[in-house]
Amino acid sequence: GENVEQHPSTLSVQEGDSAVIKCTYSDSASNYFPWYKQELGKRPQLIIDIRSNVGEKKDQRIAVTLNKTAKHFSLHITETQPEDSAVYFCAASIGNAGKSTFGDGTTLTVKP
Amino acid sequence: EAGVTQFPSHSVIEKGQTVTLRCDPISGHDNLYWYRRVMGKEIKFLLHFVKESKQDESGMPNNRFLAERTGGTYSTLKVQPAELEDSGVYFCASSRRQGLDEQFFGPGTRLTVL
């Protein structure tokens, strides 16, 4: 089955700096890659996703890149703010299968 | 629209007892998923319903876990008898379409087995 590895497990940055979280996946059939943000005590929420037919997607301060050949994808957050502090999960899924396979999560702390 | 809701938010039970978790998906979402996060590890897939049918239950750990979705609306996940390793946060998620579609998560049920 699919295996997703996520690094780093914890990340601490200064406000205004950039943060990068990296994930690799094993199943070349995976074609949908969502990223979820879980703030303390709240539910995971989708922040950005990318499908395998594109290599990069950007939404304001958040961007995701996908390298299908290397089977890895990354989340980039620029100009980080304290409210970006949360646990971030990457996931991979095969379009017609439905279920998502998640990484272990990255705890991001943005210091003011 | 109302989000995915789960009940209870917390449950503390003793080993050997039974617990039933409930999930109410977003109205109109045929796809309902159960996930579990144990000890700060990954959010692990348990099973997937399409309406009232089990599409994929490959993630169910063993036969102590029973999920139902009668009528294709809300779903229940029963653990009987509970073991210590069942402790964790159980998430429910729903989506309108299967596959390339956002899954909306519920707030989770934190289960502690003593």
Side-chain angles (χ1 to χ4, degrees), chain B residues 94-111:
Chain B
S94 72
S95 68
R96 188 175 298 279
R97 297 174 302 171
Q98 181 172 317
L100 305 177
D101 204 13
E102 176 180 358
Q103 294 183 18
F104 294 84
F105 277 76
T109 293
R110 180 174 296 277
L111 174 65

Side-chain angles (χ1 to χ4, degrees), chain A residues 31-32 36 38 41-46 49 51 87 89 93-105, chain B residues 3-5 33 35 37 40-45 48 55-56 58 91 97-103 105-107:
Chain A
N31 58 359
Y32 177 61
Y36 289 86
Q38 185 181 19
K42 296 188 176 181
R43 68 191 70 195
Q45 288 195 301
L46 181 78
D49 57 13
R51 290 165 173 74
V87 179
F89 293 95
S93 66
I94 300 171
N96 60 358
K99 72 178 183 183
S100 291
T101 301
F102 287 81
D104 283 356
Chain B
V4 177
T5 58
Y33 309 82
Y35 294 92
R37 189 176 192 214
K41 298 292 289 180
E42 79 271 27
I43 299 173
K44 197 171 177 76
F45 169 80
H48 170 206
Q55 177 83 355
D56 181 355
S58 61
F91 289 105
R97 297 174 302 171
Q98 181 172 317
L100 305 177
D101 204 13
E102 176 180 358
Q103 294 183 18
F105 277 76

Side-chain angles (χ1 to χ4, degrees), chain B residues 5-55:
Chain B
T5 58
Q6 292 186 245
F7 183 82
S9 57
H10 294 85
S11 181
V12 181
I13 60 173
E14 293 191 350
K15 175 182 173 181
Q17 290 186 320
T18 297
V19 63
T20 300
L21 314 180
R22 173 171 170 143
C23 168
D24 286 78
I26 293 172
S27 178
H29 283 195
D30 289 340
N31 295 275
L32 186 149
Y33 309 82
W34 282 99
Y35 294 92
R36 176 174 72 175
R37 189 176 192 214
V38 174
M39 291 287 289
K41 298 292 289 180
E42 79 271 27
I43 299 173
K44 197 171 177 76
F45 169 80
L46 297 178
L47 89 158
H48 170 206
F49 282 100
V50 178
K51 296 185 180 179
E52 68 276 7
S53 300
K54 292 176 184 175
Q55 177 83 355

Side-chain angles (χ1 to χ4, degrees), chain B residues 34 47 49 54 57 60 65-69 75-78:
Chain B
W34 282 99
L47 89 158
F49 282 100
K54 292 176 184 175
E57 53 184 329
M60 294 289 264
F65 288 74
L66 175 64
E68 295 180 323
R69 192 181 182 195
S75 174
T76 58
L77 180 65
K78 181 192 290 187

Side-chain angles (χ1 to χ4, degrees), chain A residues 58-78:
Chain A
K58 190 174 182 180
D59 183 4
Q60 298 181 10
R61 296 186 297 108
I62 294 172
V64 58
T65 58
L66 171 66
N67 183 327
K68 288 187 294 182
T69 303
K71 287 189 281 191
H72 67 69
F73 55 114
S74 300
L75 177 72
H76 305 253
I77 305 174
T78 58

